[in-house]
């Protein structure tokens, strides 16, 4: 099986920065697109950023210019560098990955989520 484990969340003041990491492990043959989602309190989960296996990136409008998604294919890891954080960025952040396993089954996997709180 495949597991995604996130880290790097926490409490930060407005204007501060955090870097989230998400590492995939298990019987992986290859990983396609990797994404970060977030779910603010009382709201639906929303897509924040996506990076393809060829490193093409796409961002939700409210985070453009503040967040940067990147990946290290050798480590099966995706990152989200978050700068100039605002209180409205407060949410549980989830990573997701399109994984082709070694038995050639393609499936989307999700991490367990990491809390990001932006508050003074």
């Amino acid at each position: 099986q495949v597991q995604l484990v996130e880290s790097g969340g926490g409490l930060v003041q407005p204007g501060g920065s955090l870097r989230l990491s998400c590492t995939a492990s298990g019987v992986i043959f290859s990983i396609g697109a990797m994404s970060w989602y977030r779910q603010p309190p009382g709201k639906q989960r929303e897509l924040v950023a996506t990076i393809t296996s060829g490193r093409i990136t796409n961002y939700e409008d409210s985070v453009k210019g503040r967040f940067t998604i990147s990946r290290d294919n050798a480590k099966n890891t995706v990152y989200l560098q978050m700068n100039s954080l605002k209180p409205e960025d407060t949410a549980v952040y989830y990573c997701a990955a399109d994984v082709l396993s070694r038995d050639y089954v393609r499936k989307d996997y999700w991490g367990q989520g990491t809390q990001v709180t932006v508050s003074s």
Side-chain angles (χ1 to χ4, degrees):
Q1 293 299 323
V2 175
Q3 291 184 328
L4 269 62
V5 179
E6 300 118 334
S7 62
L11 173 64
V12 64
Q13 292 186 343
S17 298
L18 281 175
R19 189 193 195 205
L20 305 183
S21 300
C22 172
T23 298
S25 62
V27 286
I28 297 169
F29 180 77
S30 66
I31 301 177
M34 304 183 81
S35 302
W36 287 97
Y37 289 76
R38 66 185 179 186
Q39 187 164 16
K43 297 184 179 181
Q44 291 186 334
R45 191 175 299 187
E46 61 182 8
L47 177 63
V48 176
T50 298
I51 184 167
T52 68
S53 57
R55 294 185 168 81
I56 296 173
T57 59
N58 190 49
Y59 297 91
E60 193 269 329
D61 286 345
S62 69
V63 308
K64 286 180 180 177
R66 300 189 298 122
F67 291 10
T68 301
I69 190 171
S70 61
R71 64 191 287 169
D72 184 333
N73 290 334
K75 296 181 179 179
N76 290 336
T77 298
V78 62
Y79 306 97
L80 187 68
Q81 177 67 44
M82 304 185 294
N83 299 328
S84 302
L85 281 161
K86 304 175 180 180
E88 52 263 43
D89 295 317
T90 295
V92 178
Y93 283 72
Y94 299 89
C95 69
D98 171 29
V99 177
L100 180 64
S101 63
R102 290 181 185 174
D103 56 358
Y104 299 103
V105 174
R106 183 174 295 278
K107 182 180 176 181
D108 290 335
Y109 290 88
W110 290 81
Q112 81 287 354
T114 185
Q115 177 69 47
V116 171
T117 302
V118 184
S119 175
S120 55

